[in-house]
Amino acid sequence: MIAAVSAVLFVVALVAGCSADSGEGQPGREAGPVARVTMTPGAGDAAVSPTAPVSVSVSDGTIDQIALSNDASGKQVAGELSPDRHTFRATEPLGYGAAYTWTGTAVGSDGKPVPIDGRFTTVAPERTVPATLNIGDGQEVGIAAPIILQFQGPVRDKAAVEKALTVTTQPATEGAWAWFPDDNGGARLHWRPKQYWTPGTTVHVAANLYGVDMGEGSYGDADLTSDFTIGRSQIVLADAPSHRMRVVRDGQTVFDFAVSYGEGNEARNVTRSGIHVVTEKYEDFLMSNPPYYTNVRERWAVRISNNGEFIHANPESLAAQGSANVTNGCINLSPADAQAYFGTALYGDPVEVTGTSIDLSAADGDLYDWTIDWETWQSMSAVDGAPSPVVSATPLAPAPPR
């Protein structure tokens, strides 16, 4: 019996001895590696883009706790921790001209904590440049509608801006961006397809402008998006010598109106030839062109250029409609015909005017996109890093309305 007890005590002693040999600091065993923390941007970095990737990664360990906070507000930045707890990344953009601080702890393979701490600051622009898109969500537009980005200030680095833009279409549509001369208080950029849009096309525009360095201290103010649809094909065929105007919808003539075009005895009253685009319409519109007339009320007015050209009703030219061109540059219809056409017109419908002595050009306003041949249009992009050319024309006296 004494021998049996002695044997048990001996086994316990051996087990205890084995356990003691595996302790920290004993020969033959090393502690696990210390956690290594990498921050992007690095601690102390300045003038960081607010849309740059922001993350913390840990090797030889995992993230235990972590937060990125705005120093001024104390608000935490939204983020995502990877399932293996090796990486944390911010999932929302940062602010301009702000300081951010990391706080947290990583735990290494050695079981010991390592602090996560660091501070960086974002770029503080001299100015931000707001922009607007001309086509809103859910809008249905005509087959000649351009997409227009109007910036409320100059854009020096046009290539950087253009690279932040995408146009996604279904079905696929060939098209391109083109820069126009700075006007309307700032830079202007248009996108149009090579040919008229295919009816029913869906379009998504994403202008990821926030955080974009536009040059000379200017940065993008905010992101913009738009989702819209191309409607039916409707083309106005306006042949001045015939004194008629046909409306062709999906290949079929739906209206054939007697009309009167610009008299054409002076440059100011020539209806311009070329592809115009419907931009807006008014049931009632006061038209003025001193010294010829002021605040004349016209009905069913559809604007087709910014030089004062409209398609509208005019009872005063009724006797000439279908037989003579007597207007100051607009296309005149009878009240009944003008009202019938008015109800069908969409923003972006093409109006193809032919047979007059002066072509539509840059001198006639800011929407003359379809007068520019495709090769020239492509050269007006800045994505190759070359300066955007300026399309210009010798200014003419604008054709007055009516």
Side-chain angles (χ1 to χ4, degrees), residues 198-223:
T198 300
T201 298
T202 59
V203 185
H204 173 72
V205 183
N208 298 318
L209 299 170
Y210 181 72
V212 173
D213 184 350
M214 296 181 173
E216 298 186 357
S218 294
Y219 282 76
D221 183 72
D223 293 343

PDB file of all heavy atoms in Angstrom, residues 198-223:
ATOM      1  N   THR A 198     -30.404  56.271 -78.375  1.00  0.00           N
ATOM      2  CA  THR A 198     -31.413  55.267 -78.689  1.00  0.00           C
ATOM      3  C   THR A 198     -32.593  55.439 -77.736  1.00  0.00           C
ATOM      4  O   THR A 198     -32.394  55.512 -76.521  1.00  0.00           O
ATOM      5  CB  THR A 198     -30.846  53.845 -78.536  1.00  0.00           C
ATOM      6  OG1 THR A 198     -29.746  53.688 -79.443  1.00  0.00           O
ATOM      7  CG2 THR A 198     -31.901  52.791 -78.819  1.00  0.00           C
ATOM      8  N   PRO A 199     -33.828  55.552 -78.265  1.00  0.00           N
ATOM      9  CA  PRO A 199     -34.979  55.694 -77.362  1.00  0.00           C
ATOM     10  C   PRO A 199     -35.019  54.571 -76.335  1.00  0.00           C
ATOM     11  O   PRO A 199     -34.732  53.413 -76.626  1.00  0.00           O
ATOM     12  CB  PRO A 199     -36.174  55.618 -78.325  1.00  0.00           C
ATOM     13  CG  PRO A 199     -35.633  56.104 -79.628  1.00  0.00           C
ATOM     14  CD  PRO A 199     -34.217  55.595 -79.689  1.00  0.00           C
ATOM     15  N   GLY A 200     -35.401  54.923 -75.105  1.00  0.00           N
ATOM     16  CA  GLY A 200     -35.492  53.943 -74.029  1.00  0.00           C
ATOM     17  C   GLY A 200     -34.204  53.700 -73.274  1.00  0.00           C
ATOM     18  O   GLY A 200     -34.195  52.966 -72.287  1.00  0.00           O
ATOM     19  N   THR A 201     -33.096  54.320 -73.699  1.00  0.00           N
ATOM     20  CA  THR A 201     -31.820  54.149 -73.005  1.00  0.00           C
ATOM     21  C   THR A 201     -31.930  54.664 -71.571  1.00  0.00           C
ATOM     22  O   THR A 201     -32.497  55.724 -71.319  1.00  0.00           O
ATOM     23  CB  THR A 201     -30.696  54.902 -73.739  1.00  0.00           C
ATOM     24  OG1 THR A 201     -30.548  54.364 -75.047  1.00  0.00           O
ATOM     25  CG2 THR A 201     -29.375  54.796 -72.993  1.00  0.00           C
ATOM     26  N   THR A 202     -31.390  53.910 -70.628  1.00  0.00           N
ATOM     27  CA  THR A 202     -31.289  54.380 -69.244  1.00  0.00           C
ATOM     28  C   THR A 202     -29.872  54.884 -69.010  1.00  0.00           C
ATOM     29  O   THR A 202     -28.905  54.297 -69.498  1.00  0.00           O
ATOM     30  CB  THR A 202     -31.629  53.267 -68.240  1.00  0.00           C
ATOM     31  OG1 THR A 202     -30.736  52.164 -68.438  1.00  0.00           O
ATOM     32  CG2 THR A 202     -33.051  52.802 -68.409  1.00  0.00           C
ATOM     33  N   VAL A 203     -29.772  55.959 -68.261  1.00  0.00           N
ATOM     34  CA  VAL A 203     -28.485  56.647 -68.086  1.00  0.00           C
ATOM     35  C   VAL A 203     -28.235  56.911 -66.603  1.00  0.00           C
ATOM     36  O   VAL A 203     -29.126  57.390 -65.893  1.00  0.00           O
ATOM     37  CB  VAL A 203     -28.460  57.990 -68.855  1.00  0.00           C
ATOM     38  CG1 VAL A 203     -27.076  58.625 -68.765  1.00  0.00           C
ATOM     39  CG2 VAL A 203     -28.879  57.793 -70.316  1.00  0.00           C
ATOM     40  N   HIS A 204     -27.030  56.570 -66.156  1.00  0.00           N
ATOM     41  CA  HIS A 204     -26.595  56.907 -64.795  1.00  0.00           C
ATOM     42  C   HIS A 204     -25.339  57.759 -64.904  1.00  0.00           C
ATOM     43  O   HIS A 204     -24.343  57.341 -65.513  1.00  0.00           O
ATOM     44  CB  HIS A 204     -26.299  55.658 -63.980  1.00  0.00           C
ATOM     45  CG  HIS A 204     -25.697  55.948 -62.629  1.00  0.00           C
ATOM     46  ND1 HIS A 204     -26.426  56.497 -61.592  1.00  0.00           N
ATOM     47  CD2 HIS A 204     -24.420  55.811 -62.164  1.00  0.00           C
ATOM     48  CE1 HIS A 204     -25.644  56.658 -60.543  1.00  0.00           C
ATOM     49  NE2 HIS A 204     -24.420  56.258 -60.864  1.00  0.00           N
ATOM     50  N   VAL A 205     -25.394  58.945 -64.328  1.00  0.00           N
ATOM     51  CA  VAL A 205     -24.244  59.847 -64.302  1.00  0.00           C
ATOM     52  C   VAL A 205     -23.719  59.924 -62.880  1.00  0.00           C
ATOM     53  O   VAL A 205     -24.494  60.160 -61.944  1.00  0.00           O
ATOM     54  CB  VAL A 205     -24.627  61.265 -64.785  1.00  0.00           C
ATOM     55  CG1 VAL A 205     -23.399  62.166 -64.819  1.00  0.00           C
ATOM     56  CG2 VAL A 205     -25.292  61.211 -66.152  1.00  0.00           C
ATOM     57  N   ALA A 206     -22.412  59.704 -62.712  1.00  0.00           N
ATOM     58  CA  ALA A 206     -21.779  59.835 -61.400  1.00  0.00           C
ATOM     59  C   ALA A 206     -20.629  60.821 -61.525  1.00  0.00           C
ATOM     60  O   ALA A 206     -19.671  60.583 -62.271  1.00  0.00           O
ATOM     61  CB  ALA A 206     -21.273  58.482 -60.910  1.00  0.00           C
ATOM     62  N   ALA A 207     -20.750  61.933 -60.825  1.00  0.00           N
ATOM     63  CA  ALA A 207     -19.691  62.947 -60.794  1.00  0.00           C
ATOM     64  C   ALA A 207     -19.103  62.942 -59.388  1.00  0.00           C
ATOM     65  O   ALA A 207     -19.623  63.594 -58.482  1.00  0.00           O
ATOM     66  CB  ALA A 207     -20.262  64.316 -61.146  1.00  0.00           C
ATOM     67  N   ASN A 208     -18.037  62.163 -59.209  1.00  0.00           N
ATOM     68  CA  ASN A 208     -17.418  62.018 -57.884  1.00  0.00           C
ATOM     69  C   ASN A 208     -16.410  63.149 -57.670  1.00  0.00           C
ATOM     70  O   ASN A 208     -15.200  62.949 -57.696  1.00  0.00           O
ATOM     71  CB  ASN A 208     -16.754  60.643 -57.783  1.00  0.00           C
ATOM     72  CG  ASN A 208     -17.745  59.519 -57.909  1.00  0.00           C
ATOM     73  OD1 ASN A 208     -18.835  59.579 -57.341  1.00  0.00           O
ATOM     74  ND2 ASN A 208     -17.412  58.498 -58.671  1.00  0.00           N
ATOM     75  N   LEU A 209     -16.954  64.334 -57.448  1.00  0.00           N
ATOM     76  CA  LEU A 209     -16.148  65.552 -57.442  1.00  0.00           C
ATOM     77  C   LEU A 209     -15.587  65.906 -56.075  1.00  0.00           C
ATOM     78  O   LEU A 209     -14.587  66.634 -55.986  1.00  0.00           O
ATOM     79  CB  LEU A 209     -16.990  66.719 -57.962  1.00  0.00           C
ATOM     80  CG  LEU A 209     -17.494  66.558 -59.404  1.00  0.00           C
ATOM     81  CD1 LEU A 209     -18.507  67.647 -59.733  1.00  0.00           C
ATOM     82  CD2 LEU A 209     -16.326  66.600 -60.382  1.00  0.00           C
ATOM     83  N   TYR A 210     -16.232  65.432 -54.997  1.00  0.00           N
ATOM     84  CA  TYR A 210     -15.752  65.777 -53.661  1.00  0.00           C
ATOM     85  C   TYR A 210     -14.330  65.249 -53.477  1.00  0.00           C
ATOM     86  O   TYR A 210     -14.029  64.085 -53.736  1.00  0.00           O
ATOM     87  CB  TYR A 210     -16.654  65.191 -52.585  1.00  0.00           C
ATOM     88  CG  TYR A 210     -16.209  65.541 -51.182  1.00  0.00           C
ATOM     89  CD1 TYR A 210     -16.360  66.829 -50.688  1.00  0.00           C
ATOM     90  CD2 TYR A 210     -15.609  64.588 -50.374  1.00  0.00           C
ATOM     91  CE1 TYR A 210     -15.941  67.164 -49.414  1.00  0.00           C
ATOM     92  CE2 TYR A 210     -15.189  64.906 -49.089  1.00  0.00           C
ATOM     93  CZ  TYR A 210     -15.352  66.195 -48.610  1.00  0.00           C
ATOM     94  OH  TYR A 210     -14.926  66.522 -47.349  1.00  0.00           O
ATOM     95  N   GLY A 211     -13.436  66.137 -53.034  1.00  0.00           N
ATOM     96  CA  GLY A 211     -12.053  65.752 -52.802  1.00  0.00           C
ATOM     97  C   GLY A 211     -11.153  65.868 -54.008  1.00  0.00           C
ATOM     98  O   GLY A 211      -9.935  65.678 -53.889  1.00  0.00           O
ATOM     99  N   VAL A 212     -11.706  66.185 -55.181  1.00  0.00           N
ATOM    100  CA  VAL A 212     -10.887  66.298 -56.390  1.00  0.00           C
ATOM    101  C   VAL A 212     -10.142  67.632 -56.388  1.00  0.00           C
ATOM    102  O   VAL A 212     -10.749  68.698 -56.219  1.00  0.00           O
ATOM    103  CB  VAL A 212     -11.753  66.179 -57.655  1.00  0.00           C
ATOM    104  CG1 VAL A 212     -10.920  66.462 -58.906  1.00  0.00           C
ATOM    105  CG2 VAL A 212     -12.371  64.794 -57.742  1.00  0.00           C
ATOM    106  N   ASP A 213      -8.855  67.555 -56.590  1.00  0.00           N
ATOM    107  CA  ASP A 213      -8.013  68.754 -56.690  1.00  0.00           C
ATOM    108  C   ASP A 213      -8.195  69.337 -58.081  1.00  0.00           C
ATOM    109  O   ASP A 213      -7.743  68.774 -59.075  1.00  0.00           O
ATOM    110  CB  ASP A 213      -6.552  68.373 -56.440  1.00  0.00           C
ATOM    111  CG  ASP A 213      -5.629  69.585 -56.427  1.00  0.00           C
ATOM    112  OD1 ASP A 213      -6.056  70.690 -56.795  1.00  0.00           O
ATOM    113  OD2 ASP A 213      -4.442  69.402 -56.057  1.00  0.00           O
ATOM    114  N   MET A 214      -8.863  70.477 -58.164  1.00  0.00           N
ATOM    115  CA  MET A 214      -9.140  71.105 -59.457  1.00  0.00           C
ATOM    116  C   MET A 214      -8.053  72.075 -59.886  1.00  0.00           C
ATOM    117  O   MET A 214      -8.150  72.693 -60.943  1.00  0.00           O
ATOM    118  CB  MET A 214     -10.485  71.840 -59.399  1.00  0.00           C
ATOM    119  CG  MET A 214     -11.672  70.920 -59.169  1.00  0.00           C
ATOM    120  SD  MET A 214     -13.233  71.838 -59.146  1.00  0.00           S
ATOM    121  CE  MET A 214     -14.410  70.493 -59.071  1.00  0.00           C
ATOM    122  N   GLY A 215      -7.027  72.221 -59.046  1.00  0.00           N
ATOM    123  CA  GLY A 215      -5.917  73.102 -59.390  1.00  0.00           C
ATOM    124  C   GLY A 215      -6.039  74.477 -58.767  1.00  0.00           C
ATOM    125  O   GLY A 215      -7.140  74.976 -58.511  1.00  0.00           O
ATOM    126  N   GLU A 216      -4.876  75.054 -58.476  1.00  0.00           N
ATOM    127  CA  GLU A 216      -4.785  76.420 -57.949  1.00  0.00           C
ATOM    128  C   GLU A 216      -5.620  76.621 -56.685  1.00  0.00           C
ATOM    129  O   GLU A 216      -6.269  77.648 -56.497  1.00  0.00           O
ATOM    130  CB  GLU A 216      -5.174  77.446 -59.019  1.00  0.00           C
ATOM    131  CG  GLU A 216      -4.244  77.412 -60.236  1.00  0.00           C
ATOM    132  CD  GLU A 216      -4.536  78.513 -61.241  1.00  0.00           C
ATOM    133  OE1 GLU A 216      -5.491  79.287 -61.031  1.00  0.00           O
ATOM    134  OE2 GLU A 216      -3.801  78.585 -62.248  1.00  0.00           O
ATOM    135  N   GLY A 217      -5.614  75.626 -55.821  1.00  0.00           N
ATOM    136  CA  GLY A 217      -6.265  75.759 -54.522  1.00  0.00           C
ATOM    137  C   GLY A 217      -7.743  75.443 -54.502  1.00  0.00           C
ATOM    138  O   GLY A 217      -8.380  75.554 -53.452  1.00  0.00           O
ATOM    139  N   SER A 218      -8.313  75.046 -55.647  1.00  0.00           N
ATOM    140  CA  SER A 218      -9.741  74.731 -55.720  1.00  0.00           C
ATOM    141  C   SER A 218      -9.961  73.225 -55.633  1.00  0.00           C
ATOM    142  O   SER A 218      -9.205  72.448 -56.213  1.00  0.00           O
ATOM    143  CB  SER A 218     -10.345  75.247 -57.033  1.00  0.00           C
ATOM    144  OG  SER A 218     -10.321  76.650 -57.075  1.00  0.00           O
ATOM    145  N   TYR A 219     -11.019  72.835 -54.918  1.00  0.00           N
ATOM    146  CA  TYR A 219     -11.384  71.424 -54.786  1.00  0.00           C
ATOM    147  C   TYR A 219     -12.874  71.261 -55.037  1.00  0.00           C
ATOM    148  O   TYR A 219     -13.661  72.205 -54.879  1.00  0.00           O
ATOM    149  CB  TYR A 219     -11.037  70.906 -53.385  1.00  0.00           C
ATOM    150  CG  TYR A 219      -9.569  70.592 -53.204  1.00  0.00           C
ATOM    151  CD1 TYR A 219      -8.632  71.605 -53.029  1.00  0.00           C
ATOM    152  CD2 TYR A 219      -9.114  69.276 -53.240  1.00  0.00           C
ATOM    153  CE1 TYR A 219      -7.278  71.322 -52.873  1.00  0.00           C
ATOM    154  CE2 TYR A 219      -7.764  68.978 -53.077  1.00  0.00           C
ATOM    155  CZ  TYR A 219      -6.853  70.001 -52.895  1.00  0.00           C
ATOM    156  OH  TYR A 219      -5.513  69.712 -52.756  1.00  0.00           O
ATOM    157  N   GLY A 220     -13.253  70.052 -55.406  1.00  0.00           N
ATOM    158  CA  GLY A 220     -14.660  69.757 -55.640  1.00  0.00           C
ATOM    159  C   GLY A 220     -15.485  69.908 -54.384  1.00  0.00           C
ATOM    160  O   GLY A 220     -15.047  69.545 -53.288  1.00  0.00           O
ATOM    161  N   ASP A 221     -16.694  70.421 -54.536  1.00  0.00           N
ATOM    162  CA  ASP A 221     -17.534  70.726 -53.381  1.00  0.00           C
ATOM    163  C   ASP A 221     -18.360  69.522 -52.933  1.00  0.00           C
ATOM    164  O   ASP A 221     -18.506  69.280 -51.738  1.00  0.00           O
ATOM    165  CB  ASP A 221     -18.479  71.879 -53.731  1.00  0.00           C
ATOM    166  CG  ASP A 221     -19.344  72.307 -52.566  1.00  0.00           C
ATOM    167  OD1 ASP A 221     -18.804  72.919 -51.636  1.00  0.00           O
ATOM    168  OD2 ASP A 221     -20.549  72.003 -52.578  1.00  0.00           O
ATOM    169  N   ALA A 222     -18.911  68.770 -53.876  1.00  0.00           N
ATOM    170  CA  ALA A 222     -19.789  67.648 -53.517  1.00  0.00           C
ATOM    171  C   ALA A 222     -19.936  66.712 -54.702  1.00  0.00           C
ATOM    172  O   ALA A 222     -19.763  67.116 -55.859  1.00  0.00           O
ATOM    173  CB  ALA A 222     -21.167  68.159 -53.089  1.00  0.00           C
ATOM    174  N   ASP A 223     -20.262  65.459 -54.411  1.00  0.00           N
ATOM    175  CA  ASP A 223     -20.565  64.486 -55.461  1.00  0.00           C
ATOM    176  C   ASP A 223     -21.963  64.748 -56.015  1.00  0.00           C
ATOM    177  O   ASP A 223     -22.852  65.235 -55.300  1.00  0.00           O
ATOM    178  CB  ASP A 223     -20.506  63.061 -54.924  1.00  0.00           C
ATOM    179  CG  ASP A 223     -19.107  62.645 -54.529  1.00  0.00           C
ATOM    180  OD1 ASP A 223     -18.129  63.300 -54.957  1.00  0.00           O
ATOM    181  OD2 ASP A 223     -18.978  61.658 -53.787  1.00  0.00           O
TER     182      ASP A 223
END
